[in-house]
Amino acid sequence: MENISFRTTVLPLSDRLFRLALRITMNRAEAEDVVQDTLLKVWEQRNEWEQIDSLEAFALTICRNRALDVKKRAGRNNTSLDKIDSVQPSIFNLQSSIEEREQLSLVRKFMDELPEVQRSIMLLRDIEGKTYQEIAQTLDISETQVKVYLHRARTKIKERIWTINT
Amino acid sequence: MDYKYIEQLLERYWECQTTLEEEAILRNFFRQEDVPASLLPYRQFFLEEDEMASERLSKDFQDKMLRLVGEEAPTHICKARRLTFMRRVRPFYRAAGLVAILLTIGNAAHQSFTDDAEDIKAAQMAEGIVADSLQQITIGSPEQQSAELTAQPVDTISTLPR
């Protein structure tokens, strides 16, 4: 395996871990704490780095578990997209920047209201550009499950976007 | 413009049948301003994902982490410089230029040395010719004198003072 060091291999994962933690905790300060804990945990395991297939998948898994713990402790429960009231459809003038921003945040709202596993999978696929295999490894589920969750998430988003524009 | 391909890609995207490369094509398409009305509603979704991708930790986070694991943050920043091809081969040009200058100087010195030697040789030859001529002149005169002397017999008695 290539020469692995904390500075050159582990630390560059920080932002990626932060985005995942942020998608789960929905809080920047908590997400930063999660990343710090994750990196320290990875550092403690440094004697085993050579035996780990993907240090990134390893770190992402730790990060997700830590973030879920933090969220659980905080007692927050994100409302599932299925349970929320349907957003009032409105006519958008897409040429207006203000309304465009509103719609932008509305789309973010839809994404944030997805169940955690769907949200995490969507982030890993769409934003971090991970393959189904890498996502399955990180979340410790099968590739088929990854595709099923992702399909559900995208379908919900598509339906929501369709609803607000008709 | 025909957006059939994009529409097909989008449909496959929602069905999770696109590759990462095809998803990148979609993302790039929706980043542009000129999107047809039929596809405009989905633009916000892709722009939102772009915004999420730009979320970063604070700048001092990495320094803090390095301190926590006992590694010091670098005291100086080494910036990688992008070198153009011309800048990369510049040392070779310089070396070639230096060699050319040295060769020119060497040739000039050699030429002038050769010329000097020829000049000396020519001067020596000229000197030799002059010396020979002088010697001939010096040698030739007493002979002529003696020849003249033998041609005119000297009357010693008459010449003797009385």
Side-chain angles (χ1 to χ4, degrees), chain A residues 6 10-11 14 17 32-46 49 58-59 62 66, chain B residues 61 64-70:
Chain A
F6 185 81
V10 180
L11 207 52
S14 303
L17 297 171
E32 190 168 322
D33 288 345
V34 167
V35 178
Q36 184 177 314
D37 290 349
T38 303
L39 294 178
L40 288 174
K41 180 76 179 170
V42 174
W43 173 247
E44 284 167 14
Q45 306 278 321
R46 59 189 176 281
W49 286 355
F58 178 69
I62 295 173
R66 295 254 162 183
Chain B
F61 179 83
K64 186 174 80 176
M65 282 313 303
L66 285 171
R67 280 196 301 276
L68 283 171
V69 300

Side-chain angles (χ1 to χ4, degrees), chain B residues 111-134:
Chain B
Q111 189 87 24
S112 83
F113 180 75
T114 314
D115 289 349
D116 285 353
E118 281 174 4
D119 287 348
I120 292 165
K121 206 172 181 179
Q124 282 173 346
M125 279 177 69
E127 197 180 348
I129 291 165
V130 170
D132 285 349
S133 306
L134 285 172

Side-chain angles (χ1 to χ4, degrees), chain B residues 96-152:
Chain B
L98 190 65
V99 169
I101 290 166
L102 288 173
L103 282 175
T104 311
I105 293 169
N107 274 341
H110 183 257
Q111 189 87 24
S112 83
F113 180 75
T114 314
D115 289 349
D116 285 353
E118 281 174 4
D119 287 348
I120 292 165
K121 206 172 181 179
Q124 282 173 346
M125 279 177 69
E127 197 180 348
I129 291 165
V130 170
D132 285 349
S133 306
L134 285 172
Q135 200 173 8
Q136 278 176 2
I137 292 163
T138 334
I139 294 165
S141 297
E143 281 174 1
Q144 279 174 352
Q145 283 172 1
S146 64
E148 281 168 9
L149 283 170
T150 46
Q152 271 185 332

Side-chain angles (χ1 to χ4, degrees), chain A residues 126-142:
Chain A
D126 286 354
I127 294 166
E128 309 302 345
K130 298 289 169 202
T131 62
Y132 293 127
Q133 190 187 2
E134 288 169 325
I135 298 169
Q137 192 183 354
T138 302
L139 272 61
D140 197 24
I141 55 176
S142 70

Side-chain angles (χ1 to χ4, degrees), chain A residues 5-7 11-12 14-15 18-19 22-23 28 31-33 35-37 39-40 43 94 100-101 103-108 111-112 122-123 125-127 129-132 134 147 150-152 154-155 157-158 161-162 165, chain B residues 10-21 23 27 33 37-58 60-75:
Chain A
S5 77
F6 185 81
R7 189 194 297 267
L11 207 52
S14 303
D15 286 328
F18 175 68
R19 285 190 286 269
L22 190 60
R23 290 294 91 217
R28 287 189 72 89
E32 190 168 322
D33 288 345
V35 178
Q36 184 177 314
D37 290 349
L39 294 178
L40 288 174
W43 173 247
L94 294 170
E100 199 168 276
R101 272 203 303 276
Q103 188 171 8
L104 205 68
S105 58
L106 204 57
V107 173
R108 172 72 72 106
M111 295 166 82
D112 288 349
M122 209 160 180
L123 173 106
R125 176 72 183 186
D126 286 354
I127 294 166
K130 298 289 169 202
T131 62
Y132 293 127
E134 288 169 325
K147 285 181 190 175
L150 186 64
H151 185 258
R152 282 181 194 164
R154 285 180 178 174
T155 304
I157 295 290
K158 185 189 173 189
I161 293 171
W162 181 256
N165 284 280
Chain B
L10 191 61
E11 273 313 304
R12 290 179 52 222
Y13 170 82
W14 297 122
E15 293 301 318
C16 300
Q17 291 171 353
T18 41
T19 62
L20 283 169
E21 289 75 21
E23 289 168 22
R27 247 168 260 292
E33 294 288 331
S38 61
L39 296 172
L40 208 51
Y42 304 109
R43 184 168 182 256
Q44 309 309 319
F45 167 69
F46 288 100
L47 290 182
E48 188 66 51
E49 284 199 330
D50 270 357
E51 200 171 303
M52 283 162 71
S54 66
E55 279 159 352
R56 301 265 187 279
L57 278 159
S58 57
D60 57 344
F61 179 83
Q62 293 204 351
D63 291 344
K64 186 174 80 176
M65 282 313 303
L66 285 171
R67 280 196 301 276
L68 283 171
V69 300
E71 280 193 31
E72 285 300 312
T75 50

